Amino acid sequence: MSSAATHTASGPRPMAFVWALALVAVALIPWITGSTFHFHIAIMVCISAMATGGLAVTAWVGQLSLAHAAFAGIGAYTSVLLVTRLDLPVLLGLPAGALVAGAVAFVIGAPLLRLRGVYFVLITFALNELFRLVMLEIPEYSGGSSGIAGIPKLSIFGVTLSSYEAVYPFALVCLALVMALLVLIRKGQLGHRFGAVEENLALAEASGIPTAQIQTLAFTIGSAIAGFAGAFLAHYVGFISPETFGFQLSVSYVIMLVTGGRLALWGPLVGALFLTPLPEFLRGAVEYQHIIYGVVLIAVLRFLPQGLAGLPAQLARKGGRA
Amino acid sequence: MSFLIAQSLINGVILGTLYLLMAIGFTLAFGVMRIVNFAHGEFYMIGAFCALIGVTWLGLPYPVTLALTIVFAILMGAVVERLVFRPFRNDELSGMIASLGLAMILQHGALILFGPDPQAFPAMVSGVFKWGALIVPKSRALALGIGLVILLIFYLFLMHTRHGRALRALVQDQEVAAVFGVRLEIMYPLGLGLGIALAAVAGGLMAPLFGVSPFIGATPLLKAFIVVILGGLGSIPGAALAAILLGLIESFTSSFVSASAADIVTFALVIGVLLVRPAGLLGRAEA
């Protein structure tokens, strides 16, 4: 996972314009068809893209976290408990979820991130399990294995977003904010430092970059985004349990990230956009969903190591050679 | 009190043997191919289904079924190595992510073939052994006995045959092993196949005790992870020590505290060991 950090030039300007136009067109699909089902899928795409975006930030410093679902869970439980027990508005619950998830990541980040490669993956895997087990042990807060149902819906300044059509614009705005944050990080000085740490840790350290702090910062930002997405998910779906934020969810975020492109700026969005609707449109084949995910994952790793987001560049290179 | 301790000791050793069967295959795949195989638990599940098909559908004797399961698993290992893992030989992280995909394919494939419901497995033996107040069900004693025999055979293979030596050489140093004529094209599929076969036979052994369903792979995978992290990725003696240790910790904590406490204690232990000694109790530190 080193070669693709140079993603500064994603093609000439006109191409970027075409892509932006295509993105807007895709975002408009639910309004064009008017189907509530499409609104639902579009909202799920937004939530997955936000969460996967958080995972990407950690991946940019060369670490792959399998505890991402746990941080989404921390954000979800924080927001749900604040809203139901302390009567906080949902609009405050979402950032509070991000804050707490980020704070936890900040505290445990320094010792965790001393581990690299598969060892970091293994410890985050263990952490995600530990989160699930501990949550099951405290049913007075987590709802235990039967979870918490009837979570208050999303609302803005007292206006409840009760329909899919009402939630979708809000989801789009949140996604746009998260993507804007990713762009800011990536294009700024911080992004260059992330890239340096990812590409060659020893060299970055020798060049005076505080690599440990940079990695902790990335992990904190990424996990905070996960917390936000998790809180959004909780208020949108209306039900959470410790099992919601288990190993499977962490894996599906990893799959979306890898499919979209581990190091590409737009990878998380592309991955979520491709994989979230995919099973929904293979009607009557719900059991095949995970098999398809697995096949897509292995095929992408094998043939598109830079993910779908790297596909245009890969094609262009091939065309140039021919 | 002393009775409870002795009973916990016996249960701990039985658990430890199962964990060892799972963990050795897992650690072998990592030692030989540098692959953290998240699909390892699914091969336990496949082994359990193989045993179920052999015993109940085909009416074969249990030992024959287990032998066939091992052969089938080795072949499957070779196929999986070729189709999934070969392109990622020098890329630990991609290989691991690919194994996540493989696990999903296998688990949901089994779900489509066999349905989600747990299936009963006929008891192979019934009754209990009794020594004073100590009780060991014969079914557990059988699983323990066969498991120990298989581990012994595997140990002899590893220590006293040409291929066994080659595998150990690969674990120690790939390049030097290759220079000395160890043929990677044969040893990689063999290493993975043997590892998978150990998981599958563990599944076949435990099927009469715990039943069979597409979802039974998760727990053994978790235990293999814990054992291998405690013992050190790639270290077989480490796995042996850690498996018995884990079996005893679980059995004692669940006798004297509670079952869920046992899980939390072991996970806390894993995180502690990873932080203090990432290479595990007996693993080699990596540069």
PDB file of all heavy atoms in Angstrom, chain A residues 228-258:
ATOM      1  N   PHE A 228     -19.704  10.072  14.019  1.00  0.00           N
ATOM      2  CA  PHE A 228     -20.764  10.887  13.431  1.00  0.00           C
ATOM      3  C   PHE A 228     -21.677  10.021  12.558  1.00  0.00           C
ATOM      4  O   PHE A 228     -22.904  10.063  12.691  1.00  0.00           O
ATOM      5  CB  PHE A 228     -20.139  12.013  12.597  1.00  0.00           C
ATOM      6  CG  PHE A 228     -21.137  12.959  12.010  1.00  0.00           C
ATOM      7  CD1 PHE A 228     -21.660  13.995  12.766  1.00  0.00           C
ATOM      8  CD2 PHE A 228     -21.563  12.801  10.699  1.00  0.00           C
ATOM      9  CE1 PHE A 228     -22.587  14.861  12.230  1.00  0.00           C
ATOM     10  CE2 PHE A 228     -22.493  13.666  10.150  1.00  0.00           C
ATOM     11  CZ  PHE A 228     -23.006  14.706  10.925  1.00  0.00           C
ATOM     12  N   ALA A 229     -21.053   9.216  11.684  1.00  0.00           N
ATOM     13  CA  ALA A 229     -21.836   8.359  10.782  1.00  0.00           C
ATOM     14  C   ALA A 229     -22.667   7.361  11.580  1.00  0.00           C
ATOM     15  O   ALA A 229     -23.837   7.110  11.257  1.00  0.00           O
ATOM     16  CB  ALA A 229     -20.916   7.635   9.809  1.00  0.00           C
ATOM     17  N   GLY A 230     -22.068   6.809  12.647  1.00  0.00           N
ATOM     18  CA  GLY A 230     -22.790   5.852  13.472  1.00  0.00           C
ATOM     19  C   GLY A 230     -24.006   6.485  14.135  1.00  0.00           C
ATOM     20  O   GLY A 230     -25.091   5.894  14.183  1.00  0.00           O
ATOM     21  N   ALA A 231     -23.827   7.721  14.636  1.00  0.00           N
ATOM     22  CA  ALA A 231     -24.942   8.425  15.272  1.00  0.00           C
ATOM     23  C   ALA A 231     -26.051   8.697  14.247  1.00  0.00           C
ATOM     24  O   ALA A 231     -27.236   8.511  14.518  1.00  0.00           O
ATOM     25  CB  ALA A 231     -24.448   9.735  15.883  1.00  0.00           C
ATOM     26  N   PHE A 232     -25.641   9.104  13.057  1.00  0.00           N
ATOM     27  CA  PHE A 232     -26.606   9.345  11.982  1.00  0.00           C
ATOM     28  C   PHE A 232     -27.391   8.067  11.691  1.00  0.00           C
ATOM     29  O   PHE A 232     -28.631   8.081  11.614  1.00  0.00           O
ATOM     30  CB  PHE A 232     -25.853   9.818  10.719  1.00  0.00           C
ATOM     31  CG  PHE A 232     -26.737  10.454   9.676  1.00  0.00           C
ATOM     32  CD1 PHE A 232     -26.674  11.814   9.424  1.00  0.00           C
ATOM     33  CD2 PHE A 232     -27.642   9.687   8.955  1.00  0.00           C
ATOM     34  CE1 PHE A 232     -27.492  12.410   8.472  1.00  0.00           C
ATOM     35  CE2 PHE A 232     -28.452  10.261   8.000  1.00  0.00           C
ATOM     36  CZ  PHE A 232     -28.385  11.619   7.760  1.00  0.00           C
ATOM     37  N   LEU A 233     -26.651   6.970  11.565  1.00  0.00           N
ATOM     38  CA  LEU A 233     -27.279   5.679  11.277  1.00  0.00           C
ATOM     39  C   LEU A 233     -28.307   5.321  12.354  1.00  0.00           C
ATOM     40  O   LEU A 233     -29.429   4.892  12.053  1.00  0.00           O
ATOM     41  CB  LEU A 233     -26.196   4.589  11.205  1.00  0.00           C
ATOM     42  CG  LEU A 233     -26.659   3.172  10.866  1.00  0.00           C
ATOM     43  CD1 LEU A 233     -27.042   3.092   9.401  1.00  0.00           C
ATOM     44  CD2 LEU A 233     -25.580   2.145  11.179  1.00  0.00           C
ATOM     45  N   ALA A 234     -27.923   5.523  13.629  1.00  0.00           N
ATOM     46  CA  ALA A 234     -28.807   5.161  14.736  1.00  0.00           C
ATOM     47  C   ALA A 234     -30.127   5.928  14.653  1.00  0.00           C
ATOM     48  O   ALA A 234     -31.207   5.345  14.783  1.00  0.00           O
ATOM     49  CB  ALA A 234     -28.115   5.439  16.069  1.00  0.00           C
ATOM     50  N   HIS A 235     -30.041   7.241  14.418  1.00  0.00           N
ATOM     51  CA  HIS A 235     -31.266   8.049  14.391  1.00  0.00           C
ATOM     52  C   HIS A 235     -32.066   7.811  13.119  1.00  0.00           C
ATOM     53  O   HIS A 235     -33.281   8.004  13.105  1.00  0.00           O
ATOM     54  CB  HIS A 235     -30.923   9.537  14.542  1.00  0.00           C
ATOM     55  CG  HIS A 235     -30.427   9.871  15.910  1.00  0.00           C
ATOM     56  ND1 HIS A 235     -31.261   9.909  17.014  1.00  0.00           N
ATOM     57  CD2 HIS A 235     -29.195  10.145  16.376  1.00  0.00           C
ATOM     58  CE1 HIS A 235     -30.549  10.213  18.089  1.00  0.00           C
ATOM     59  NE2 HIS A 235     -29.286  10.350  17.720  1.00  0.00           N
ATOM     60  N   TYR A 236     -31.368   7.406  12.050  1.00  0.00           N
ATOM     61  CA  TYR A 236     -32.097   7.136  10.809  1.00  0.00           C
ATOM     62  C   TYR A 236     -32.828   5.793  10.892  1.00  0.00           C
ATOM     63  O   TYR A 236     -34.018   5.709  10.609  1.00  0.00           O
ATOM     64  CB  TYR A 236     -31.141   7.152   9.613  1.00  0.00           C
ATOM     65  CG  TYR A 236     -31.789   6.688   8.337  1.00  0.00           C
ATOM     66  CD1 TYR A 236     -32.882   7.380   7.802  1.00  0.00           C
ATOM     67  CD2 TYR A 236     -31.352   5.551   7.672  1.00  0.00           C
ATOM     68  CE1 TYR A 236     -33.512   6.952   6.651  1.00  0.00           C
ATOM     69  CE2 TYR A 236     -31.972   5.124   6.515  1.00  0.00           C
ATOM     70  CZ  TYR A 236     -33.049   5.826   6.013  1.00  0.00           C
ATOM     71  OH  TYR A 236     -33.677   5.379   4.876  1.00  0.00           O
ATOM     72  N   VAL A 237     -32.102   4.744  11.308  1.00  0.00           N
ATOM     73  CA  VAL A 237     -32.705   3.407  11.339  1.00  0.00           C
ATOM     74  C   VAL A 237     -33.651   3.260  12.529  1.00  0.00           C
ATOM     75  O   VAL A 237     -34.660   2.563  12.444  1.00  0.00           O
ATOM     76  CB  VAL A 237     -31.608   2.321  11.373  1.00  0.00           C
ATOM     77  CG1 VAL A 237     -32.197   0.942  11.533  1.00  0.00           C
ATOM     78  CG2 VAL A 237     -30.765   2.395  10.113  1.00  0.00           C
ATOM     79  N   GLY A 238     -33.310   3.898  13.665  1.00  0.00           N
ATOM     80  CA  GLY A 238     -34.192   3.859  14.822  1.00  0.00           C
ATOM     81  C   GLY A 238     -33.946   2.699  15.752  1.00  0.00           C
ATOM     82  O   GLY A 238     -34.633   2.535  16.748  1.00  0.00           O
ATOM     83  N   PHE A 239     -32.946   1.857  15.446  1.00  0.00           N
ATOM     84  CA  PHE A 239     -32.647   0.722  16.308  1.00  0.00           C
ATOM     85  C   PHE A 239     -31.142   0.469  16.316  1.00  0.00           C
ATOM     86  O   PHE A 239     -30.506   0.487  15.254  1.00  0.00           O
ATOM     87  CB  PHE A 239     -33.366  -0.530  15.812  1.00  0.00           C
ATOM     88  CG  PHE A 239     -32.900  -1.794  16.497  1.00  0.00           C
ATOM     89  CD1 PHE A 239     -33.401  -2.127  17.745  1.00  0.00           C
ATOM     90  CD2 PHE A 239     -31.959  -2.620  15.902  1.00  0.00           C
ATOM     91  CE1 PHE A 239     -32.958  -3.262  18.404  1.00  0.00           C
ATOM     92  CE2 PHE A 239     -31.513  -3.766  16.553  1.00  0.00           C
ATOM     93  CZ  PHE A 239     -32.028  -4.085  17.801  1.00  0.00           C
ATOM     94  N   ILE A 240     -30.566   0.260  17.507  1.00  0.00           N
ATOM     95  CA  ILE A 240     -29.177  -0.187  17.572  1.00  0.00           C
ATOM     96  C   ILE A 240     -29.035  -1.247  18.657  1.00  0.00           C
ATOM     97  O   ILE A 240     -29.834  -1.297  19.600  1.00  0.00           O
ATOM     98  CB  ILE A 240     -28.180   0.959  17.890  1.00  0.00           C
ATOM     99  CG1 ILE A 240     -28.606   1.713  19.148  1.00  0.00           C
ATOM    100  CG2 ILE A 240     -28.016   1.890  16.717  1.00  0.00           C
ATOM    101  CD1 ILE A 240     -27.566   2.704  19.644  1.00  0.00           C
ATOM    102  N   SER A 241     -28.044  -2.104  18.486  1.00  0.00           N
ATOM    103  CA  SER A 241     -27.682  -3.055  19.539  1.00  0.00           C
ATOM    104  C   SER A 241     -26.182  -3.266  19.419  1.00  0.00           C
ATOM    105  O   SER A 241     -25.575  -2.878  18.413  1.00  0.00           O
ATOM    106  CB  SER A 241     -28.433  -4.375  19.354  1.00  0.00           C
ATOM    107  OG  SER A 241     -27.763  -5.183  18.425  1.00  0.00           O
ATOM    108  N   PRO A 242     -25.552  -3.851  20.454  1.00  0.00           N
ATOM    109  CA  PRO A 242     -24.102  -4.082  20.339  1.00  0.00           C
ATOM    110  C   PRO A 242     -23.744  -4.880  19.089  1.00  0.00           C
ATOM    111  O   PRO A 242     -22.681  -4.687  18.515  1.00  0.00           O
ATOM    112  CB  PRO A 242     -23.780  -4.865  21.612  1.00  0.00           C
ATOM    113  CG  PRO A 242     -24.811  -4.425  22.598  1.00  0.00           C
ATOM    114  CD  PRO A 242     -26.057  -4.205  21.787  1.00  0.00           C
ATOM    115  N   GLU A 243     -24.662  -5.763  18.664  1.00  0.00           N
ATOM    116  CA  GLU A 243     -24.377  -6.589  17.484  1.00  0.00           C
ATOM    117  C   GLU A 243     -24.354  -5.768  16.202  1.00  0.00           C
ATOM    118  O   GLU A 243     -23.726  -6.151  15.221  1.00  0.00           O
ATOM    119  CB  GLU A 243     -25.421  -7.715  17.343  1.00  0.00           C
ATOM    120  CG  GLU A 243     -25.642  -8.543  18.597  1.00  0.00           C
ATOM    121  CD  GLU A 243     -24.463  -9.437  18.932  1.00  0.00           C
ATOM    122  OE1 GLU A 243     -23.576  -9.591  18.073  1.00  0.00           O
ATOM    123  OE2 GLU A 243     -24.423  -9.952  20.065  1.00  0.00           O
ATOM    124  N   THR A 244     -25.092  -4.630  16.194  1.00  0.00           N
ATOM    125  CA  THR A 244     -25.101  -3.785  15.002  1.00  0.00           C
ATOM    126  C   THR A 244     -23.685  -3.381  14.631  1.00  0.00           C
ATOM    127  O   THR A 244     -23.348  -3.267  13.451  1.00  0.00           O
ATOM    128  CB  THR A 244     -25.917  -2.500  15.269  1.00  0.00           C
ATOM    129  OG1 THR A 244     -27.144  -2.863  15.891  1.00  0.00           O
ATOM    130  CG2 THR A 244     -26.198  -1.751  13.982  1.00  0.00           C
ATOM    131  N   PHE A 245     -22.854  -3.159  15.663  1.00  0.00           N
ATOM    132  CA  PHE A 245     -21.518  -2.598  15.420  1.00  0.00           C
ATOM    133  C   PHE A 245     -20.443  -3.658  15.600  1.00  0.00           C
ATOM    134  O   PHE A 245     -19.398  -3.419  16.171  1.00  0.00           O
ATOM    135  CB  PHE A 245     -21.287  -1.403  16.343  1.00  0.00           C
ATOM    136  CG  PHE A 245     -22.351  -0.356  16.179  1.00  0.00           C
ATOM    137  CD1 PHE A 245     -23.398  -0.240  17.091  1.00  0.00           C
ATOM    138  CD2 PHE A 245     -22.343   0.475  15.080  1.00  0.00           C
ATOM    139  CE1 PHE A 245     -24.397   0.704  16.917  1.00  0.00           C
ATOM    140  CE2 PHE A 245     -23.334   1.421  14.899  1.00  0.00           C
ATOM    141  CZ  PHE A 245     -24.361   1.533  15.816  1.00  0.00           C
ATOM    142  N   GLY A 246     -20.723  -4.853  15.113  1.00  0.00           N
ATOM    143  CA  GLY A 246     -19.787  -5.968  15.242  1.00  0.00           C
ATOM    144  C   GLY A 246     -18.787  -6.020  14.096  1.00  0.00           C
ATOM    145  O   GLY A 246     -18.685  -5.111  13.264  1.00  0.00           O
ATOM    146  N   PHE A 247     -18.093  -7.141  14.079  1.00  0.00           N
ATOM    147  CA  PHE A 247     -17.043  -7.413  13.107  1.00  0.00           C
ATOM    148  C   PHE A 247     -17.542  -7.226  11.662  1.00  0.00           C
ATOM    149  O   PHE A 247     -16.854  -6.630  10.830  1.00  0.00           O
ATOM    150  CB  PHE A 247     -16.570  -8.848  13.344  1.00  0.00           C
ATOM    151  CG  PHE A 247     -15.599  -9.374  12.345  1.00  0.00           C
ATOM    152  CD1 PHE A 247     -14.379  -8.748  12.157  1.00  0.00           C
ATOM    153  CD2 PHE A 247     -15.891 -10.517  11.615  1.00  0.00           C
ATOM    154  CE1 PHE A 247     -13.470  -9.248  11.243  1.00  0.00           C
ATOM    155  CE2 PHE A 247     -14.983 -11.019  10.708  1.00  0.00           C
ATOM    156  CZ  PHE A 247     -13.769 -10.382  10.519  1.00  0.00           C
ATOM    157  N   GLN A 248     -18.772  -7.699  11.389  1.00  0.00           N
ATOM    158  CA  GLN A 248     -19.286  -7.639  10.009  1.00  0.00           C
ATOM    159  C   GLN A 248     -19.315  -6.222   9.470  1.00  0.00           C
ATOM    160  O   GLN A 248     -18.988  -5.973   8.310  1.00  0.00           O
ATOM    161  CB  GLN A 248     -20.710  -8.233   9.942  1.00  0.00           C
ATOM    162  CG  GLN A 248     -20.749  -9.741   9.881  1.00  0.00           C
ATOM    163  CD  GLN A 248     -20.015 -10.309   8.677  1.00  0.00           C
ATOM    164  OE1 GLN A 248     -19.876  -9.645   7.649  1.00  0.00           O
ATOM    165  NE2 GLN A 248     -19.497 -11.516   8.813  1.00  0.00           N
ATOM    166  N   LEU A 249     -19.752  -5.278  10.309  1.00  0.00           N
ATOM    167  CA  LEU A 249     -19.850  -3.890   9.850  1.00  0.00           C
ATOM    168  C   LEU A 249     -18.445  -3.332   9.561  1.00  0.00           C
ATOM    169  O   LEU A 249     -18.238  -2.671   8.540  1.00  0.00           O
ATOM    170  CB  LEU A 249     -20.575  -3.038  10.890  1.00  0.00           C
ATOM    171  CG  LEU A 249     -20.923  -1.623  10.429  1.00  0.00           C
ATOM    172  CD1 LEU A 249     -21.921  -1.653   9.290  1.00  0.00           C
ATOM    173  CD2 LEU A 249     -21.463  -0.784  11.573  1.00  0.00           C
ATOM    174  N   SER A 250     -17.504  -3.632  10.462  1.00  0.00           N
ATOM    175  CA  SER A 250     -16.125  -3.196  10.224  1.00  0.00           C
ATOM    176  C   SER A 250     -15.622  -3.737   8.895  1.00  0.00           C
ATOM    177  O   SER A 250     -14.974  -3.025   8.124  1.00  0.00           O
ATOM    178  CB  SER A 250     -15.207  -3.695  11.341  1.00  0.00           C
ATOM    179  OG  SER A 250     -15.304  -2.875  12.464  1.00  0.00           O
ATOM    180  N   VAL A 251     -15.917  -5.021   8.650  1.00  0.00           N
ATOM    181  CA  VAL A 251     -15.458  -5.635   7.404  1.00  0.00           C
ATOM    182  C   VAL A 251     -16.097  -4.957   6.206  1.00  0.00           C
ATOM    183  O   VAL A 251     -15.438  -4.690   5.203  1.00  0.00           O
ATOM    184  CB  VAL A 251     -15.766  -7.146   7.404  1.00  0.00           C
ATOM    185  CG1 VAL A 251     -15.501  -7.734   6.027  1.00  0.00           C
ATOM    186  CG2 VAL A 251     -14.917  -7.856   8.431  1.00  0.00           C
ATOM    187  N   SER A 252     -17.390  -4.629   6.306  1.00  0.00           N
ATOM    188  CA  SER A 252     -18.005  -4.036   5.115  1.00  0.00           C
ATOM    189  C   SER A 252     -17.434  -2.644   4.836  1.00  0.00           C
ATOM    190  O   SER A 252     -17.310  -2.263   3.673  1.00  0.00           O
ATOM    191  CB  SER A 252     -19.532  -4.028   5.197  1.00  0.00           C
ATOM    192  OG  SER A 252     -19.948  -3.581   6.429  1.00  0.00           O
ATOM    193  N   TYR A 253     -17.049  -1.901   5.886  1.00  0.00           N
ATOM    194  CA  TYR A 253     -16.376  -0.623   5.632  1.00  0.00           C
ATOM    195  C   TYR A 253     -15.039  -0.854   4.921  1.00  0.00           C
ATOM    196  O   TYR A 253     -14.679  -0.115   4.000  1.00  0.00           O
ATOM    197  CB  TYR A 253     -16.149   0.147   6.941  1.00  0.00           C
ATOM    198  CG  TYR A 253     -17.416   0.660   7.580  1.00  0.00           C
ATOM    199  CD1 TYR A 253     -17.565   0.724   8.957  1.00  0.00           C
ATOM    200  CD2 TYR A 253     -18.488   1.080   6.783  1.00  0.00           C
ATOM    201  CE1 TYR A 253     -18.734   1.184   9.546  1.00  0.00           C
ATOM    202  CE2 TYR A 253     -19.652   1.545   7.369  1.00  0.00           C
ATOM    203  CZ  TYR A 253     -19.773   1.588   8.745  1.00  0.00           C
ATOM    204  OH  TYR A 253     -20.928   2.043   9.317  1.00  0.00           O
ATOM    205  N   VAL A 254     -14.307  -1.876   5.390  1.00  0.00           N
ATOM    206  CA  VAL A 254     -13.023  -2.176   4.748  1.00  0.00           C
ATOM    207  C   VAL A 254     -13.241  -2.536   3.279  1.00  0.00           C
ATOM    208  O   VAL A 254     -12.518  -2.080   2.392  1.00  0.00           O
ATOM    209  CB  VAL A 254     -12.303  -3.328   5.492  1.00  0.00           C
ATOM    210  CG1 VAL A 254     -11.125  -3.832   4.665  1.00  0.00           C
ATOM    211  CG2 VAL A 254     -11.828  -2.865   6.850  1.00  0.00           C
ATOM    212  N   ILE A 255     -14.272  -3.335   3.024  1.00  0.00           N
ATOM    213  CA  ILE A 255     -14.536  -3.749   1.645  1.00  0.00           C
ATOM    214  C   ILE A 255     -14.844  -2.531   0.778  1.00  0.00           C
ATOM    215  O   ILE A 255     -14.339  -2.392  -0.341  1.00  0.00           O
ATOM    216  CB  ILE A 255     -15.697  -4.763   1.600  1.00  0.00           C
ATOM    217  CG1 ILE A 255     -15.268  -6.061   2.275  1.00  0.00           C
ATOM    218  CG2 ILE A 255     -16.127  -5.033   0.161  1.00  0.00           C
ATOM    219  CD1 ILE A 255     -16.327  -7.124   2.304  1.00  0.00           C
ATOM    220  N   MET A 256     -15.671  -1.624   1.297  1.00  0.00           N
ATOM    221  CA  MET A 256     -16.005  -0.429   0.510  1.00  0.00           C
ATOM    222  C   MET A 256     -14.761   0.408   0.242  1.00  0.00           C
ATOM    223  O   MET A 256     -14.564   0.906  -0.860  1.00  0.00           O
ATOM    224  CB  MET A 256     -17.045   0.412   1.241  1.00  0.00           C
ATOM    225  CG  MET A 256     -18.423  -0.200   1.140  1.00  0.00           C
ATOM    226  SD  MET A 256     -19.669   0.883   1.815  1.00  0.00           S
ATOM    227  CE  MET A 256     -20.888  -0.322   2.280  1.00  0.00           C
ATOM    228  N   LEU A 257     -13.935   0.549   1.268  1.00  0.00           N
ATOM    229  CA  LEU A 257     -12.723   1.364   1.104  1.00  0.00           C
ATOM    230  C   LEU A 257     -11.801   0.750   0.060  1.00  0.00           C
ATOM    231  O   LEU A 257     -11.318   1.440  -0.843  1.00  0.00           O
ATOM    232  CB  LEU A 257     -11.990   1.488   2.441  1.00  0.00           C
ATOM    233  CG  LEU A 257     -10.706   2.308   2.374  1.00  0.00           C
ATOM    234  CD1 LEU A 257     -11.025   3.751   2.065  1.00  0.00           C
ATOM    235  CD2 LEU A 257      -9.937   2.210   3.674  1.00  0.00           C
ATOM    236  N   VAL A 258     -11.565  -0.563   0.189  1.00  0.00           N
ATOM    237  CA  VAL A 258     -10.624  -1.218  -0.717  1.00  0.00           C
ATOM    238  C   VAL A 258     -11.176  -1.220  -2.140  1.00  0.00           C
ATOM    239  O   VAL A 258     -10.443  -0.999  -3.101  1.00  0.00           O
ATOM    240  CB  VAL A 258     -10.342  -2.652  -0.232  1.00  0.00           C
ATOM    241  CG1 VAL A 258      -9.541  -3.417  -1.266  1.00  0.00           C
ATOM    242  CG2 VAL A 258      -9.598  -2.614   1.085  1.00  0.00           C
TER     243      VAL A 258
END
